[in-house]
Amino acid sequence: MSRKVHRTEVCADCSAPDPGWTSINRGVLICDECCSVHRSLGRHISIVKHLRHSGWPPALLQMVQTLASNGANSIWEHSLLDPAQVQSGRRKPNPQDKVHPTKSEFIRAKYQMLSFVHKLPCRDDDGVTTKDLSKQLHSSVRTGSLETCLRLLSLGAQANFFHPEKGTTPLHVASKAGQVLQAELLVVYGADPGALDINGRTPMDYARQAGQVELAERLVECQYELTDRLAFYLCGRRPDHKNGHYIIPQMADSLDLSELAKAAKKKLQALNNRLFEELAMDVYDEVDRRENDAVWLTTQNHSTLVTERSAVPFLPVNPEYSATRNQGRQKLARFNAREFATLIIDILSDAKRRQQGKGLSSPTDSSLDLGADDDQHDYDSVASDEDTDSELTTQNNNNAQRNNRAKSMDSSDLSDGPITLQEYLEVKKALASSEAKVQQLMKVNNNLSEELRRLQKEVRKGGPGGPTPYGGSHLSGSMEMGRYMGLKGEKHGSGTDSDYDNTQMYELSLSRGRSSEEEGRGDSEEWGGGEGGEPDPTLPCTEDVILKTEQVTKNIQELLRAAQEFKHDSFVPCSEKIHSAVTEMASLFPKRPALDAVHCSLRLLASSASRLQVECRKAAPSDPSAPAVDYQLLTQQVIQCAYDIAKAAKQLVTITTREKKQ
């Protein structure tokens, strides 16, 4: 789709004229240089797309243009508009400033750390704040004010919020009101097109009932975005969703599969649904990276812009993922065109098999008529031995970019068996309540410090109260929540690894270790006492626990400052201090605590501190011949370990406080 360029358009980050790219989830236009930084942050922070050289669903493009022209950038630069900031010397970059470090540091502060976003007043219960914001979003989406809804989403409103009184989600409301652009914005932030209202109706049903036929069809496309995009990447075609939901391309010689290829396919089929979804979404991200690379190479001045600092050679680290998964995602960049195409075809085939071949329950079957495609297969010749990544990505760079990728497989439907509507809605509400995900370690520690100070006052006063949940980067948390609706809140069944390995066509590790978050219990769980509700006499004094936790927090903050200032030589001494503080804190508790919750938290505390030491030692390799250290990946892993320590400490404070009050 062609696009008119207005002379007044400037880059949201450095004010360069005629920006060629956009960040879809931020609703801003950006120049080539700033786009290189956005791409390096990863899709979990910024979803970029070229304005002229990429295909656009008309409503999505209109949504982005509307946000950009109505001041969406002021949401991300709220505090910079304060005259006091000018006096303090804080400013945004100019077009002439260097990409590194000037522009890159500003962009990271703006979108990754959310340093300039309007901060809500502190409240004792962050959950209530999120609920209030979500209710406002639920009401606002029936209007045409996109920027209001984006502001609410940036503050923590949940796109999949299930209104307890009205029995609907914001996407139901937008669909009923015919607010096409609001629906696009909600889906970008992870709203589920297949979500059910209290009566079992989807947003597609609402749109059809309101006579919004095009909107209903668009929502179906959003629900199948993942498989649609993978198929289009290979053969340049998408299913029409009226006669079927899947196109399964075929390699020219794939009918003669080797034993190794068959074994690899069986391994993929043996993956549980969660691991299969993770693999499919990782491949989706890699498709997006390759397509953007193809556009990038055709639009840049190779002598000035295409450098090691502006290229994105593999998927950026997502700190919410384990180190194993991040490494597996980066390996995808090594696949040649044929290997990558083979993997995509296997995923498409198995996605269809899982939804239709096993009789999985699907809340949206009635509206999507999934059985219509049972006997229909579309085969297209793709990726011969001579094909290259560049040829494939250049041929197929007209793809729609959406954030709600997992819905193409009805990820919420990939369960182990049928579920009732009531169970489904309960799961939805439980997931929505736990969406807020901490991504900024400094904010975690600040919240913990405030919480500890408040607890100290309560202990001295002897009054009621309890710790509050952590806050966090609500924006990225809600985005990920919607995209991975079938994964959030699900405990890993075991700590064993699963591998998908084809030594002839491609090699991809799907090893999934049990994450540190899942070793301990989630923040949303209640930490109660025994059956009789009696306090545990073996637990230490609350004030002692708080004092030790403060020391842990102080050391973590020191480590974070070292990470922010790129002082990698400080990692080891900081980790030693943290390990020492953790050991002192753990020594307060009995070796065999009566409460399982205490045991889990202590285990998470100790294992995270040990892991942190291991990671920090990598910053100063003793062997001169060792490979170069990837400090970006290392820093993300160090921060994740530190977050797990802070989380475990907070859990122990919570348990001790509640037990002592009983």
Side-chain angles (χ1 to χ4, degrees), residues 121-352:
C122 293
R123 298 175 70 168
D124 286 342
D125 188 346
D126 288 346
V128 172
T129 300
T130 301
K131 185 176 181 180
D132 289 344
L133 290 167
S134 300
K135 284 187 174 181
Q136 291 182 44
L137 177 68
H138 189 278
S139 175
S140 298
V141 292
R142 64 167 54 91
T143 72
S145 180
L146 277 180
E147 60 275 14
T148 297
C149 293
L150 179 61
R151 191 178 301 277
L152 290 169
L153 289 164
S154 75
L155 293 173
Q158 305 301 311
N160 277 304
F161 173 72
F162 186 87
H163 200 293
E165 290 84 26
K166 302 183 183 298
T168 56
T169 70
L171 193 54
H172 286 96
V173 177
S175 300
K176 182 177 181 180
Q179 291 292 344
V180 178
L181 304 188
Q182 294 283 22
E184 291 285 344
L185 178 62
L186 289 169
V187 171
V188 164
Y189 274 79
D192 180 6
L196 300 179
D197 72 355
I198 195 67
N199 297 313
R201 294 185 300 169
T202 67
M204 284 91 80
D205 295 330
Y206 275 66
R208 292 190 186 100
Q209 187 175 355
Q212 300 290 331
V213 179
E214 291 185 4
L215 175 56
E217 292 176 350
R218 174 64 184 145
L219 290 173
V220 173
E221 292 176 359
C222 293
Q223 186 154 18
Y224 286 88
E225 166 60 20
L226 191 152
T227 48
D228 283 6
R229 177 126 183 227
L230 296 187
F232 191 85
Y233 173 77
L234 291 185
C235 64
R237 297 175 53 216
R238 292 187 181 87
D240 60 12
H241 297 294
K242 294 177 181 177
N243 300 310
H245 296 296
Y246 296 91
I247 292 178
I248 313 295
Q250 185 180 33
M251 301 285 286
D253 58 354
S254 62
L255 295 179
D256 184 22
L257 291 177
S258 67
E259 291 303 314
L260 284 172
K262 292 177 182 177
K265 195 165 188 174
K266 286 182 179 179
K267 283 188 177 182
L268 182 142
Q269 292 174 349
L271 293 175
N272 64 39
N273 290 323
R274 178 183 56 78
L275 293 180
F276 176 74
E277 290 175 29
E278 288 183 359
L279 171 61
M281 290 183 285
D282 292 345
V283 170
Y284 179 101
D285 280 351
E286 175 63 14
V287 165
D288 180 75
R289 187 194 68 81
R290 294 188 182 206
E291 289 180 337
N292 274 334
D293 267 353
V295 174
W296 187 263
L297 291 172
T298 60
T299 59
Q300 303 309 303
N301 181 337
H302 289 226
S303 64
T304 59
L305 285 177
V306 182
T307 66
E308 291 184 1
R309 300 298 297 272
S310 63
V312 183
F314 47 74
L315 289 174
V317 172
N318 185 334
E320 291 196 356
Y321 297 159
S322 67
T324 305
R325 183 175 179 184
N326 274 313
Q327 292 165 3
R329 283 164 58 85
Q330 293 181 354
K331 288 180 182 178
L332 289 171
R334 301 178 187 173
F335 290 12
N336 63 32
R338 178 182 177 78
E339 293 167 345
F340 195 51
T342 305
L343 176 57
I344 289 175
I345 292 170
D346 283 353
I347 288 174
L348 288 170
S349 300
D350 212 52
K352 180 177 180 178

Side-chain angles (χ1 to χ4, degrees), residues 411-459:
S411 63
S412 58
D413 308 333
L414 295 177
S415 58
D416 293 329
I419 59 174
T420 65
L421 174 59
Q422 182 179 359
E423 291 171 334
Y424 179 76
L425 293 176
E426 287 176 354
V427 171
K428 287 285 189 182
K429 285 187 278 189
L431 291 170
S433 68
S434 62
E435 275 184 0
K437 171 74 175 174
V438 177
Q439 195 177 26
Q440 303 170 36
L441 184 57
M442 181 64 84
K443 185 163 186 177
V444 172
N445 282 306
N446 288 341
N447 286 353
L448 182 56
S449 297
E450 293 173 6
E451 181 176 287
L452 291 171
R453 285 193 292 270
R454 183 174 62 78
L455 284 172
Q456 281 180 313
K457 293 179 181 178
E458 290 177 1
V459 169

Side-chain angles (χ1 to χ4, degrees), residues 351-513:
K352 180 177 180 178
R353 179 190 69 84
R354 287 169 186 257
Q355 189 179 66
Q356 300 178 352
K358 285 189 175 182
L360 296 172
S361 65
S362 174
T364 56
D365 278 357
S366 59
S367 62
L368 298 183
D369 192 18
L370 298 178
D373 192 40
D374 283 346
D375 301 318
Q376 177 180 331
H377 296 266
D378 295 293
Y379 297 100
D380 292 278
S381 177
V382 297
S384 66
D385 287 326
E386 292 76 22
D387 284 336
T388 64
D389 285 342
S390 177
E391 289 169 344
L392 269 178
T393 51
T394 302
Q395 173 190 358
N396 300 316
N397 63 11
N398 294 323
N399 291 303
Q401 258 187 28
R402 302 296 296 161
N403 202 29
N404 193 29
R405 305 166 306 173
K407 298 307 166 293
S408 63
M409 296 184 299
D410 280 348
S411 63
S412 58
D413 308 333
L414 295 177
S415 58
D416 293 329
I419 59 174
T420 65
L421 174 59
Q422 182 179 359
E423 291 171 334
Y424 179 76
L425 293 176
E426 287 176 354
V427 171
K428 287 285 189 182
K429 285 187 278 189
L431 291 170
S433 68
S434 62
E435 275 184 0
K437 171 74 175 174
V438 177
Q439 195 177 26
Q440 303 170 36
L441 184 57
M442 181 64 84
K443 185 163 186 177
V444 172
N445 282 306
N446 288 341
N447 286 353
L448 182 56
S449 297
E450 293 173 6
E451 181 176 287
L452 291 171
R453 285 193 292 270
R454 183 174 62 78
L455 284 172
Q456 281 180 313
K457 293 179 181 178
E458 290 177 1
V459 169
R460 286 193 290 268
K461 293 179 181 178
T468 62
Y470 280 118
S473 177
H474 296 289
L475 169 69
S476 58
S478 61
M479 251 175 13
E480 292 298 302
M481 174 63 198
R483 287 160 55 179
Y484 305 165
M485 196 65 178
L487 307 179
K488 293 293 184 178
E490 181 179 326
K491 303 291 182 186
H492 290 199
S494 70
T496 59
D497 293 341
S498 300
D499 297 303
Y500 181 31
D501 184 22
N502 184 332
T503 55
Q504 180 179 9
M505 291 186 178
Y506 44 77
E507 293 183 1
L508 175 63
S509 169
L510 284 181
S511 299
R512 299 290 189 262

Side-chain angles (χ1 to χ4, degrees), residues 615-639:
E615 293 292 338
C616 287
R617 286 170 188 156
K618 296 177 183 178
S622 56
D623 185 2
S625 63
V629 179
D630 183 347
Y631 284 107
Q632 181 183 9
L633 175 60
L634 175 63
T635 300
Q636 295 289 4
Q637 296 307 320
V638 166
I639 289 176

Side-chain angles (χ1 to χ4, degrees), residues 542-616:
T542 303
E543 286 185 322
D544 291 342
V545 177
I546 290 175
L547 288 174
K548 296 300 183 185
T549 305
E550 282 185 329
Q551 188 60 44
V552 172
T553 302
K554 180 180 177 181
N555 292 330
I556 288 177
Q557 288 174 332
E558 183 180 346
L559 174 65
L560 179 60
R561 282 193 292 271
Q564 290 175 327
E565 297 170 3
F566 305 103
K567 295 180 178 178
H568 302 114
D569 55 344
S570 300
F571 278 12
V572 171
C574 285
S575 68
E576 297 295 340
K577 291 180 182 178
I578 292 173
H579 190 272
S580 176
V582 164
T583 302
E584 290 183 12
M585 181 175 181
S587 67
L588 296 175
F589 293 84
K591 291 185 177 180
R592 294 184 179 180
L595 291 176
D596 287 341
V598 175
H599 176 73
C600 290
S601 297
L602 287 171
R603 184 177 61 185
L604 176 59
L605 188 71
S607 63
S608 300
S610 297
R611 248 184 21 255
L612 177 65
Q613 284 186 302
V614 173
E615 293 292 338
C616 287

